[in-house]
Amino acid sequence: MFHGTLHHSDAPDWSRQRIFGLWKTPLVTLSEARGPEGIRIYAIGDIHGCRPLLDKLLQKIEEDIARSKAGDWRIIFLGDYVDRGPDTRGVVDRLITLQAADPRYILLAGNHDVEFLAFLDQPSIDGVFVNSGGNATARSYGVKLNRSKLKTQADLEQVHRKLVAAVPAAHVHFLKGLQYAVSFGDYFFCHAGVRPGTSLERQSPDDLLWMRGPFLDSLMPLEKVVVHGHTISAKPEERINRIGIDTGAYRTGRLTGLVIDSDHKAFLSTKP
């Protein structure tokens, strides 16, 4: 399989290469991709503690389901429920309730979710949680975390003890149970992206949670079109091999959802 980044000017005729059997697995471009027969798919980008925006987008989705008279549906959350926004606790509570009520709500892990668990297990002053929005998560559980005041290991351990005591066991269980990826029809859903040149079934958890450049810069078609969050853009990004729907909810007020129904695609947002 081809390795590296392609530019529009030198991209080969992928369909022709498929015809001559150069690929063991058929490749799909965005224009060809179809959702699963009879199932309307919704994907929701990075929530980051923004409970009111989550509630608003879910209401829009419920209205869309009713309006479209969808026979069946799935709502896929792409991870990063914690940090940065003001109400991580409220977001996790809502997601736990949704998941318990209906298995058609599918929850994927984001890198911030995994790093929150890592801090609860083994606190580090240099980790993502302390340095990238974990103070907002701690505050939502009633614990103060100020990076500038963590002068000693004892300071860190004190905050850690308080947070471990404050986070409900159900929240930890929920975060530990998150999937890394899921696939429906011609679409593959994950938090960050995939490594081009590696089959989807062999992607590493680290790449699914953290991938940026090699994936974002690639114009190489994949086995499925990847729907992802993780990398903020002003509006949803549609490329030959991917759709990015992280529109920076915690700082823009815009939480974005993607709708897939057969060959139809649309976007829902908490802002016009």
Side-chain angles (χ1 to χ4, degrees), residues 91-120:
V91 166
V92 175
D93 276 336
R94 181 77 197 274
L95 295 177
I96 288 173
T97 300
L98 291 172
Q99 190 178 50
D102 196 320
R104 290 179 292 183
Y105 292 96
I106 299 171
L107 286 299
L108 303 184
N111 60 310
H112 281 260
D113 310 313
V114 170
E115 290 294 330
F116 180 31
L117 285 174
F119 181 86
L120 292 175

Side-chain angles (χ1 to χ4, degrees), residues 71-141:
D72 197 3
W73 52 266
R74 299 292 186 277
I75 299 177
I76 303 167
F77 297 83
L78 299 181
D80 274 8
Y81 313 117
V82 311
D83 297 349
R84 293 179 170 158
D87 194 10
T88 284
R89 181 169 191 150
V91 166
V92 175
D93 276 336
R94 181 77 197 274
L95 295 177
I96 288 173
T97 300
L98 291 172
Q99 190 178 50
D102 196 320
R104 290 179 292 183
Y105 292 96
I106 299 171
L107 286 299
L108 303 184
N111 60 310
H112 281 260
D113 310 313
V114 170
E115 290 294 330
F116 180 31
L117 285 174
F119 181 86
L120 292 175
D121 182 58
Q122 187 69 47
S124 169
I125 198 168
D126 298 318
V128 169
F129 183 73
V130 170
N131 294 282
S132 296
N135 58 322
T137 294
R139 193 180 307 116
S140 77
Y141 290 101

